[in-house]
Amino acid sequence: MTQKIDNILRESRAFPPSSDFKATAHVASIEQYQRLHKQSLEQPEVFWDGVAKELPWMKPYGQVLDWSEAPNARWFVDGKLNASAVCLDQHIEAGHGDKVAILWEGEPGDRKTFTYSEMLAAVCRFANALKARGIKKGDRIAIYMPMIPELAMAVLACARIGAIHSVVFGGFSAQALADRITDGGCIGVITSDGGWRRGKVLPLKHVVDAAVDLCGAHCPVHTVLTVKRTENETKWNAERDVWYHELLEQVDDVCEPEPMDSEDVLFLLYTSGSTGKPKGIMHTTGGYMVGAYLSTRHVFDLKADDVFWCTADVGWITGHSYVVYGPMANGATQVMYEGAPNAPTEGRFWELIERYKVSVFYTAPTAIRAFMKWGDQHVDGKDLSSLRLLGTVGEPINPEAWMWYRKKIGGERCPIVDTWWQTETGGIMISPLPGITETSPGCASLPFFGVDAAILDGDGNELGENEGGFLAIRKPWPSMLRGLWGDEERYRETYWSKWPGNIYFPGDGARRDEKGHFWILGRVDDVINVSGHRLSTMEVESALVSHDLVVEAAVVGRPDDLTGEAIVAFVIPAGSATQDASVVKTLKEHVAVEIGKLACPAEVRLTDALPKTRSGKIMRRLLRDIAAGREQKGDMSTIENPAILEQLRAADV
Ligand code: PRX
């Protein structure tokens, strides 16, 4: 069947890069981008060799790419390197040991600074502590920690000795952690007694204890290494549990980096997927590091004196690539913050930007919408003049949120890079390059170097200008996933089977405009089919959010005898969430005017909150069940606010 996605929302606002920005940008002309992009697709060996050469290899690679056993790729074949040496040692050897690597702030306001030399010493000590517990190359280690410097150190310490880290976000439940420990066969867990979140202690070590219990008699974990952070009470198992600070006293701060093959696994990172068992995405050392290094440099146009702040938790891929590996491979100075954006006040992020003179700021649309909801008064009066570039990631950004971000945070002077990518892609795939791209609200713009992106229909035919279809990546790229841990079949099936010819299917819908810019329409399973028209939920949501009465909206389809599917909108209103018929009517009319009658919701339900994953993504799967009056099924372990489901079920109209 030929499938396309109709999309009717058009955005005409466009902002060219400023001449100031252009003057110093790494990629400074569209011609330069086009030439390099063309080379990266037509002669990937030449292009990627030029980039990879900049990393400190311990043994040079031979072939740049071996795709003979597609979809299993081998990049930088037979080369050896160590990711922690890329992030640390090379900068010290180049004389930059005194440069600040991390400006860290805890939620209660405590502060620490680490130079690159200090980071190296700390990482070596951490690595020696792991070795002292018998942990070695190839072992899998789960990391379940708050956003404290020791989290970045733990990740790099694993990399240093060649242990495979599997970071699990500190908000996940014991069951979710247990599932990931078991699936990865992790023999160690690195955690802390607790972390601060909105003035309270998250008792992480308790959760680890519960997870290890849940793993049962065959639990592979022999060591739980615990960093002291909050001093809360913890249970102690003398055989398994070790205080990190005690073990440190027994080790020194010299640890040679393990030479790792390019294709040795660097880490596993589980993505929840909309249904079923979480997938253990595998990334390897060489290609991932090359991708993280280059994308950080170009997308964030990183300069030696920048202060970079990516607000993502290291529990997500964004934190892997743009807190740990990418910025540090580039020798950048960055801010790391432990707590919530609204603790103790809703102005916390802007205070941090002011205090540390952040110049490049990278966050998520869900956060931006929360900032808008909290109000401009938290931004007003803060000095944000150090900012020169803003970024977003994680979901399609509604144009109104983009405009607010540009105006209120960026002072109408900072370009915004709307970066499209996935856990699976390892690094940014489609994004403006800030020195050259005319940016528009909600537009992810241009494929990055090495990314052969196209819009295809269900049969694999390339679609024309502005036709909505499936996003496809037609060539391998260095930081691509190398598989799913222990599930080769699911890897091929999920990502490589939609079309013949080894084309990667990311699961997103998109269109490409007359300028060749990509607009992401959201997950294809978020598409609603009304009377034979496939509509992107994102577009209807954006239309709703553009109304003053609306703070946030989630739109799903429910079965309808007449139209196939009907649109149900769950809306957080600016005022009270009591079901007010006049508000509902106004919003229906507004969507009809903005997009057309076709997209007009059959139902609008007003609510205080939406069910979200712990990474802030709206769980449309649950909303679909509620809209259709079905029982909720499937994995609930990732939901942040389960109580909201009751309210939503009750709010039937
Ligand atoms: O649907 C796309 C959406 O997030 C998905 C990937 O999620 P995850 O693996 O958790 O990684 C998030 C951080 C990279 C994608 O398939 N997504 C991510 N960035 C964007 C986006 N959708 C639209 N615009 C984006 N900039």
Side-chain angles (χ1 to χ4, degrees):
M1 193 181 69
T2 303
Q3 292 167 306
K4 291 185 190 175
I5 302 169
D6 295 328
N7 64 97
I8 29 209
L9 199 68
R10 285 284 179 273
E11 175 59 60
S12 55
R13 289 169 287 196
F15 301 90
S18 71
S19 46
D20 282 3
F21 206 102
K22 226 179 155 96
T24 61
H26 290 310
V27 179
S29 74
I30 196 83
E31 294 74 27
Q32 186 191 1
Y33 161 78
Q34 282 164 344
R35 183 173 50 75
L36 287 171
H37 188 254
K38 188 164 185 275
Q39 184 193 46
S40 72
L41 299 190
E42 291 175 3
Q43 299 168 286
E45 294 80 9
V46 178
F47 178 86
W48 288 112
D49 181 47
V51 178
K53 271 204 305 242
E54 293 175 23
L55 299 192
W57 293 85
M58 294 161 140
K59 178 184 164 221
Y61 46 85
Q63 208 178 338
V64 168
L65 167 66
D66 175 6
W67 190 228
S68 60
E69 291 183 30
N72 294 314
R74 294 201 304 152
W75 282 91
F76 311 111
V77 179
D78 292 336
K80 294 214 187 291
L81 78 172
N82 182 287
S84 81
V86 175
C87 290
L88 302 171
D89 306 55
Q90 65 157 335
H91 307 310
I92 292 141
E93 282 154 22
H96 304 309
D98 292 337
K99 184 170 178 183
V100 171
I102 293 183
L103 295 156
W104 176 81
E105 193 164 308
E107 194 183 82
D110 43 339
R111 297 175 199 171
K112 283 183 189 167
T113 299
F114 293 87
T115 64
Y116 272 92
S117 296
E118 288 165 342
M119 275 301 283
L120 178 63
V123 166
C124 287
R125 232 183 253 126
F126 213 133
N128 286 332
L130 296 174
K131 281 187 181 170
R133 292 296 294 184
I135 293 164
K136 54 182 192 322
K137 181 174 173 179
D139 290 340
R140 273 84 59 208
I141 303 298
I143 300 179
Y144 186 73
M145 288 177 87
M147 280 287 282
I148 55 178
E150 288 81 358
L151 169 52
M153 292 166 191
V155 164
L156 291 170
C158 287
R160 196 153 191 94
I161 64 170
I164 298 170
H165 57 78
S166 170
V167 184
V168 179
F169 173 58
F172 275 123
S173 65
Q175 185 63 57
L177 177 58
D179 293 344
R180 288 156 178 76
I181 289 174
T182 308
D183 190 79
C186 297
I187 62 166
V189 182
I190 306 172
T191 188
S192 76
D193 50 356
W196 291 102
R197 192 83 188 165
R198 295 199 181 87
K200 294 209 183 85
V201 169
L202 294 178
L204 298 173
K205 170 70 165 56
H206 282 302
V207 182
V208 172
D209 291 341
V212 171
D213 285 348
L214 283 166
C215 291
H218 302 294
C219 182
V221 175
H222 67 55
T223 293
V224 175
L225 188 57
T226 308
V227 175
K228 202 166 246 187
R229 163 75 183 131
T230 47
E231 309 270 346
N232 54 318
E233 281 279 309
T234 48
K235 280 196 289 182
W236 212 247
N237 171 326
E239 224 171 275
R240 197 175 61 207
D241 295 340
V242 195
W243 281 115
Y244 171 65
H245 63 273
E246 287 178 4
L247 196 48
L248 278 201
E249 287 166 12
Q250 301 162 29
V251 297
D252 66 22
D253 61 6
V254 179
C255 173
E256 288 306 316
E258 185 73 31
M260 301 297 285
D261 190 273
S262 267
E263 287 302 331
D264 278 336
V265 176
L266 177 60
F267 64 85
L268 303 182
L269 184 58
Y270 285 83
T271 55
S272 28
S274 49
T275 49
K277 178 169 161 269
K279 300 179 276 196
I281 307 293
M282 273 191 322
H283 282 288
T284 57
T285 309
Y288 174 80
M289 287 308 295
V290 168
Y293 163 71
L294 192 76
S295 56
T296 308
R297 178 176 157 78
H298 283 313
V299 175
F300 301 111
D301 191 45
L302 216 57
K303 304 284 166 44
D305 56 355
D306 269 319
V307 178
F308 180 72
W309 184 19
C310 165
T311 67
D313 193 286
V314 174
W316 313 116
I317 189 68
T318 309
H320 281 61
S321 303
Y322 301 109
V323 176
V324 181
Y325 290 114
M328 293 205 202
N330 281 277
T333 296
Q334 66 177 319
V335 169
M336 185 175 179
Y337 168 60
E338 176 188 31
N342 54 352
T345 72
E346 284 79 2
R348 186 68 187 263
F349 273 19
W350 321 127
E351 274 163 26
L352 287 163
I353 291 178
E354 187 175 71
R355 174 150 51 253
Y356 296 108
K357 301 203 168 17
V358 171
S359 55
V360 181
F361 179 65
Y362 189 35
T363 195
T366 180
I368 298 168
R369 288 192 299 266
F371 301 142
M372 287 172 76
K373 179 178 166 186
W374 294 336
D376 289 3
Q377 70 275 20
H378 300 291
V379 189
D380 292 336
K382 304 285 187 322
D383 180 4
L384 304 183
S385 61
S386 56
L387 287 172
R388 66 181 197 95
L389 175 62
L390 303 175
T392 92
V393 60
E395 53 181 319
I397 182 165
N398 312 109
E400 292 320 302
W402 194 98
M403 288 303 293
W404 181 89
Y405 195 31
R406 179 180 154 82
K407 250 195 214 131
K408 202 67 206 168
I409 307 306
E412 295 189 273
R413 103 193 145 264
C414 304
I416 298 179
V417 288
D418 176 354
T419 62
W420 175 86
W421 59 295
Q422 309 178 293
T423 307
E424 291 86 341
T425 68
I428 292 167
M429 299 290 277
I430 301 181
S431 169
L433 291 182
I436 60 163
T437 313
E438 186 174 74
T439 56
S440 288
C443 180
S445 309
L446 295 168
F448 189 60
F449 300 126
V451 176
D452 184 13
I455 309 291
L456 305 183
D457 69 12
D459 296 329
N461 304 308
E462 188 158 7
L463 295 176
E465 230 168 63
N466 283 318
E467 284 191 286
F470 301 105
L471 182 60
I473 312 292
R474 296 181 294 196
K475 287 198 164 70
W477 64 100
S479 65
M480 63 194 277
L481 77 166
R482 298 299 196 272
L484 300 179
W485 183 255
D487 204 343
E488 165 81 17
E489 196 40 49
R490 193 173 175 197
Y491 168 64
R492 287 172 182 269
E493 175 59 33
T494 310
Y495 303 108
W496 302 96
S497 66
K498 188 165 182 69
W499 305 286
N502 293 313
I503 297 174
Y504 175 80
F505 174 49
D508 282 349
R511 74 178 160 93
R512 190 178 201 170
D513 70 14
E514 53 289 347
K515 289 187 288 191
H517 287 192
F518 285 82
W519 298 72
I520 308 296
L521 300 170
R523 305 290 303 165
V524 285
D525 47 20
D526 293 343
V527 162
I528 308 179
N529 194 325
V530 184
S531 304
H533 297 278
R534 293 168 61 82
L535 298 170
S536 147
T537 53
M538 194 275 291
E539 292 184 318
V540 184
E541 286 162 9
S542 291
L544 283 163
V545 174
S546 72
H547 198 286
D548 284 348
L549 284 171
V550 177
V551 172
E552 187 159 16
V555 160
V556 296
R558 66 153 161 69
D560 185 281
D561 287 346
L562 205 60
T563 54
E565 278 189 295
I567 296 175
V568 180
F570 294 86
V571 170
I572 304 180
S576 138
T578 40
Q579 196 67 27
D580 175 333
S582 74
V583 173
V584 168
K585 183 160 176 277
T586 306
L587 295 182
K588 286 185 180 178
E589 283 168 6
H590 178 69
V591 176
V593 170
E594 286 289 303
I595 306 188
K597 270 220 163 93
L598 181 73
C600 184
E603 257 183 65
V604 174
R605 297 192 191 187
L606 303 178
T607 171
D608 288 324
L610 295 165
K612 291 195 175 167
T613 63
R614 285 159 215 271
S615 63
K617 287 201 168 80
I618 296 167
M619 296 182 81
R620 290 194 178 71
R621 169 172 66 89
L622 299 179
L623 291 176
R624 274 195 292 272
D625 289 341
I626 290 169
R630 286 190 299 259
E631 280 275 298
Q632 268 93 57
K633 296 188 295 281
D635 181 15
M636 294 284 193
S637 64
T638 55
I639 185 167
E640 162 99 42
N641 48 352
I644 193 62
L645 295 178
E646 278 311 311
Q647 188 193 340
L648 289 170
R649 271 193 294 263
D652 213 343
V653 236

